Amino acid sequence: MMLETVAAVPGMVGGMFLHCKSLRQFEHNDGWIKTLLEEAENELMHLMTFMEVSNPRWYERALVFVVQGVFFSAYFVAYLISPKLAHRVVGYLEEDGGGEGGGGGRSGGEELGRREAG
């Protein structure tokens, strides 16, 4: 359950940073903001499904709040320092964790990290 609570954070943080970057530079982002936010929403739906099935207690919900806050803060700082590194970490976690993207394809985070680097 804890993994599902933090799975939406990278998409949300990445989308937020790209949105601000596009506003600052007055340029289009080729749809990457939408892609990252859709990924975050997809992970949210996984969490909501799990919550319906498991019916967590109050202390489990409090733990979710704390874990998500800590991970959001850490990922925000990592993305601020190096977006490429942050996307690679997500790609590694998805690959290592058996990611739910299916079929061994690349995640949006990996592609975006590659796009920003080159």
Side-chain angles (χ1 to χ4, degrees):
M1 178 172 77
M2 290 303 134
L3 183 59
E4 286 296 331
T5 65
V6 298
V9 170
M12 187 59 70
V13 171
M16 179 181 66
F17 270 97
L18 286 178
H19 178 73
C20 291
K21 180 180 176 183
S22 292
L23 291 174
R24 282 191 316 269
Q25 296 179 351
F26 299 105
E27 64 182 30
H28 187 62
N29 59 39
D30 299 322
W32 277 107
I33 294 170
K34 184 177 180 183
T35 301
L36 292 171
L37 293 180
E38 284 176 352
E39 178 64 25
E41 186 175 4
N42 181 36
E43 295 298 340
L44 173 67
M45 291 301 115
H46 292 166
L47 177 62
M48 291 298 116
T49 302
F50 184 76
M51 297 294 257
E52 287 284 325
V53 172
S54 69
N55 198 13
R57 295 191 162 92
W58 70 269
Y59 57 86
E60 292 171 322
R61 289 178 184 264
L63 184 61
V64 165
F65 186 75
V66 171
V67 168
Q68 196 174 48
V70 169
F71 184 75
F72 181 89
S73 300
Y75 193 78
F76 183 89
V77 170
Y79 205 98
L80 195 59
I81 293 169
S82 173
K84 182 179 176 182
L85 174 66
H87 286 290
R88 284 192 176 180
V89 166
V90 170
Y92 172 76
L93 290 175
E94 285 182 353
E95 182 180 310
D96 192 45
E100 297 179 28
R106 291 206 161 112
S107 70
E110 277 181 342
E111 289 180 31
L112 182 59
R114 200 173 297 98
R115 181 175 165 261
E116 287 181 348

